[in-house]
Amino acid sequence: MAEAAESPGDPVTASSRPLFAGLSDISISQDIPVEGEITIPMRSRIREFDSSTLNESVQNTVMRDLKAVGKKFMHVLYPRKSNTLLRDWDLWGPLILCVTLALMLQRGSVDSEKDGGPQFAEVFVIVWFGAVTITLNSKLLGGNISFFQSLCVLGYCILPLTVAMLVCRLVLLAEPGPINFMVRLFVVIVMFAWSIVASTAFLADSQPPNRKALAVYPVFLFYFVISWMILTFTP
Amino acid sequence: MATTAAPAGGARNGAGPEWGGFEENIQGGGSAVIDMENMDDTSGSSFEDMGELHQRLREEEVDADAAAAEEEDGEFLGMKGFKGQLSRQVADQMWQAGKRQASRAFSLYANIDILRPYFDVEPAQVRSRLLESMIPIKMVNFPQKIAGELYGPLMLVFTLVAILLHGMKTSDTIIREGTLMGTAIGTCFGYWLGVSSFIYFLAYLCNAQITMLQMLALLGYGLFGHCIVLFITYNIHLHALFYLFWLLVGGLSTLRMVAVLVSRTVGPTQRLLLCGTLAALHMLFLLYLHFAYHKVVEGILDTLEGPNIPPMQRVPRDIPAALPAARIPATLLNATAKAVAVTLQSH
């Protein structure tokens, strides 16, 4: 006992070899040798892992995050029933999409407060508070999805609408007219439907089966408002 | 922590008031928390020894803190580790106590599970309640049942916001010191929450049997008629059609709400007061939503169609007659005046 008490108490040697290493030398009786190593693996390994991502270069971190975001973009563009968006959620993608959308919805004129166009902060608030409201609603309806997972899915599914915004801006460079409007209307409707299908594919499994419609309706309203802002944008 | 403990550690019963509660915590819970196997001192299993232990601990706390700071996290055996272990567990217990209090406060105020029973609905129920909100029931002799849920009303308010946005965009409403979205959300939620509270207050004065939740649900479902009327008339700009729908659909949903309230109120004066107020507010709100966010379109239509001036559009028409000497073209003047009128009206 005494040797077991002393050896791990020494701070110098404990860091260089696993703890309780001395215990393997003790045998209870002659017949039954007790062998083996008792190590405590968790803490030191966790610390190694942390320092390894802390010490890597900024480029590595950024590229790793960008690759994760890009992978999730692919999942949104080709929606299948998969768990990737839910399992490793992150909010970088929604942030990038929200900022891009808000920037593209700016008019760029000096007296932009006088017209009814959405301002940057307005788009931000609509997207994030809309997503929070939908998440709370789906949780209250009995869904078993976590708060940030839902935010992640709803944010990533704005990607088709951001693509629609890009296309609308390009189309608006041509001369205005009813054909212009019809093209934009068609593109926005298609992307709106795509957003809803994508978000339903990810969110529907977390709801009780008979209440899916109740959870999908606010998603429909949310993307409708965003589509409406995109469609009625005029530079 | 070390500085306040040092003067208080002199005698056990000399502990300051800030440590008093903590002391009681330790007294009962201390022996359960500290692992007996870790102690080399074998006499530490009785309460008196525990008391000595705590006194010794507080006296040596300054040293123990300094030593504990140098130790690695993984070690917890040995003579040096023993004191560090105790002080760490003391600190740990303080942390747990604080954390428990904070999480209790948080779960009290930020618990959305309070709202969970109000969202316990099925799609079929919501559908049937939406349809029933347009059907007034004649039976006013005993209280009618009101479903106390919040999902339907909340979704209807959001739908009204979306329809309002659609209407404001198509009529090019200009809002000077605010945003379209903010105005729409403020109007709809303000109406739902504000008028519900006001009618609940009147109901309290008139001794009506209705709770706040039921009033919110009733008024929320009453907005279904508004949604239908506005959706149709923001797309088809016919005056007569709007008035027809206003009376018919708006009237039906108002009648339904009035019938429910009458069934829950006793006395003719009270019934008249309560139901008259609700009917007036509900119908006038629909009128306001149509005209406040729809003016410019009507103005353009009138300019195209001819002198069919509705009473509200008179003001911009006077300008060309008043300024005959100006070289400004009348259309520009009219458009500017209409825009100014709309912005003034929108405040």
Side-chain angles (χ1 to χ4, degrees):
Chain A
M1 275 305 178
E3 41 192 78
E6 278 169 10
S7 53
D10 193 347
V12 179
T13 52
S15 56
S16 57
R17 58 190 182 130
L19 298 174
F20 305 126
L23 284 175
S24 63
D25 296 330
I26 303 167
S27 60
I28 293 183
S29 77
Q30 305 295 338
D31 312 316
I32 309 171
V34 176
E35 287 182 1
E37 274 195 354
I38 304 177
T39 56
I40 302 178
M42 295 311 291
R43 294 195 189 231
S44 50
R45 218 170 276 168
I46 286 177
R47 218 172 293 128
E48 264 168 44
F49 183 64
D50 279 345
S51 61
S52 71
T53 59
L54 266 179
N55 288 338
E56 67 179 3
S57 68
V58 174
Q59 184 189 6
N60 279 355
T61 314
V62 169
M63 287 314 294
R64 194 180 58 233
D65 286 335
L66 279 180
K67 279 202 195 98
V69 168
K71 205 167 85 158
K72 293 198 185 89
F73 278 172
M74 284 300 123
H75 274 276
V76 170
L77 285 178
Y78 304 106
R80 296 178 298 268
K81 279 205 187 291
S82 80
N83 268 344
T84 315
L85 269 187
L86 290 180
R87 217 181 27 226
D88 334 300
W89 60 267
D90 74 270
L91 292 177
W92 282 116
L95 182 69
I96 294 174
L97 287 172
C98 186
V99 169
T100 316
L101 193 63
L103 282 175
M104 284 199 287
L105 279 170
Q106 295 300 299
R107 300 229 171 161
S109 60
V110 179
D111 51 352
S112 61
E113 317 89 55
K114 286 198 201 143
D115 53 23
Q119 303 182 356
F120 186 89
E122 190 184 2
V123 177
F124 237 83
V125 165
I126 290 173
V127 168
W128 289 102
F129 277 95
V132 165
T133 309
I134 296 174
T135 308
L136 284 179
N137 177 60
S138 70
K139 279 182 88 76
L140 284 170
L141 282 174
N144 57 356
I145 195 173
S146 98
F147 185 72
F148 286 109
Q149 280 172 345
S150 175
L151 277 188
C152 168
V153 167
L154 288 167
Y156 271 105
C157 291
I158 297 180
L159 177 66
L161 288 170
T162 313
V163 169
M165 183 72 219
L166 271 168
V167 171
C168 282
R169 276 217 99 141
L170 290 173
V171 168
L172 279 169
L173 290 175
E175 32 108 354
I179 303 178
N180 201 312
F181 180 71
M182 293 309 293
V183 168
R184 280 187 296 137
L185 181 68
F186 177 70
V187 167
V188 169
I189 288 182
V190 166
M191 291 301 177
F192 166 63
W194 198 335
S195 282
I196 294 192
V197 165
S199 63
T200 313
F202 293 115
L203 286 179
D205 290 333
S206 64
Q207 291 294 322
N210 49 344
R211 292 192 188 174
K212 287 203 175 48
L214 295 184
V216 168
Y217 179 68
V219 176
F220 168 84
L221 273 181
F222 175 60
Y223 288 131
F224 175 79
V225 168
I226 298 182
S227 315
W228 191 248
M229 283 198 297
I230 291 173
L231 186 61
T232 56
F233 171 77
T234 50
Chain B
M1 189 165 71
T3 50
T4 54
R12 283 214 73 232
N13 36 12
E18 70 268 19
W19 290 101
F22 178 63
E23 219 177 308
E24 281 142 21
N25 250 350
I26 285 289
Q27 194 79 29
S31 53
V33 170
I34 298 179
D35 277 337
M36 291 305 160
E37 301 90 86
N38 295 342
M39 288 191 200
D40 288 322
D41 183 5
T42 53
S43 69
S45 54
S46 59
F47 277 118
E48 300 83 59
D49 288 333
M50 287 309 295
E52 279 176 6
L53 217 75
H54 289 302
Q55 184 176 358
R56 213 185 340 142
L57 178 69
R58 250 181 240 117
E59 282 167 2
E60 292 160 347
E61 205 167 305
V62 184
D63 303 330
D65 274 353
E70 289 159 5
E71 279 177 350
E72 282 189 357
D73 288 343
E75 297 181 311
F76 57 89
L77 285 185
M79 283 301 298
K80 199 171 172 192
F82 161 65
K83 291 196 184 81
Q85 170 74 355
L86 267 182
S87 79
R88 197 175 307 116
Q89 282 185 338
V90 162
D92 198 36
Q93 252 191 334
M94 280 200 64
W95 164 251
Q96 292 294 333
K99 192 169 135 179
R100 240 178 321 200
Q101 277 189 343
S103 61
R104 220 180 295 144
F106 179 73
S107 63
L108 196 65
Y109 293 117
N111 195 6
I112 63 165
D113 279 337
I114 299 174
L115 294 175
R116 207 177 273 272
Y118 307 138
F119 281 76
D120 191 15
V121 288
E122 305 292 322
Q125 282 179 326
V126 176
R127 204 167 33 234
S128 68
R129 281 172 196 163
L130 281 176
L131 291 174
E132 279 169 9
S133 73
M134 304 299 295
I135 305 173
I137 300 185
K138 280 217 167 71
M139 185 171 43
V140 295
N141 290 329
F142 63 90
Q144 295 182 18
K145 192 173 163 318
I146 306 176
E149 57 136 333
L150 285 179
Y151 174 82
L154 206 62
M155 287 306 127
L156 278 170
V157 174
F158 279 126
T159 311
L160 191 63
V161 168
I163 295 177
L164 214 62
L165 269 182
H166 165 58
M168 286 200 279
K169 280 284 191 186
T170 47
S171 70
D172 283 331
T173 307
I174 299 170
I175 302 214
R176 207 167 260 279
E177 276 160 18
T179 59
L180 276 176
M181 191 73 195
T183 311
I185 290 186
T187 310
C188 298
F189 270 96
Y191 175 75
W192 182 49
L193 295 171
V195 172
S196 286
S197 315
F198 179 61
I199 300 289
Y200 177 67
F201 167 66
L202 278 185
Y204 170 75
L205 289 181
C206 300
N207 257 338
Q209 288 174 355
I210 193 166
T211 65
M212 183 67 189
L213 172 72
Q214 287 172 332
M215 191 59 228
L216 281 171
L218 192 66
L219 195 65
Y221 274 112
L223 287 175
F224 181 54
H226 283 20
C227 288
I228 296 178
V229 173
L230 289 173
F231 183 64
I232 296 178
T233 55
Y234 278 160
N235 292 317
I236 308 174
H237 312 291
L238 286 176
H239 241 36
L241 186 70
F242 168 71
Y243 282 123
L244 183 70
F245 270 116
W246 178 61
L247 280 175
L248 212 63
V249 179
L252 272 179
S253 76
T254 312
L255 270 179
R256 154 106 185 149
M257 289 198 297
V258 159
V260 170
L261 276 180
V262 160
S263 76
R264 287 169 170 256
T265 318
V266 186
T269 323
Q270 287 93 326
R271 282 178 171 180
L272 191 64
L273 175 66
L274 199 56
C275 304
T277 320
L278 180 61
L281 285 172
H282 204 63
M283 300 294 274
L284 285 177
F285 183 58
L286 184 54
L287 218 58
Y288 165 73
L289 281 182
H290 180 82
F291 283 111
Y293 301 117
H294 206 50
K295 273 174 106 51
V296 181
V297 179
E298 291 172 5
I300 292 176
L301 281 179
D302 286 335
T303 326
L304 293 174
E305 285 166 1
N308 262 0
I309 310 169
M312 297 196 193
Q313 290 291 322
R314 274 195 199 277
V315 174
R317 295 262 160 190
D318 290 332
I319 293 184
L323 295 172
R327 297 280 173 93
I328 310 168
T331 49
L332 181 63
L333 208 54
N334 261 334
T336 324
K338 275 199 193 84
V340 169
V342 165
T343 55
L344 283 177
Q345 208 76 17
S346 306
H347 274 282

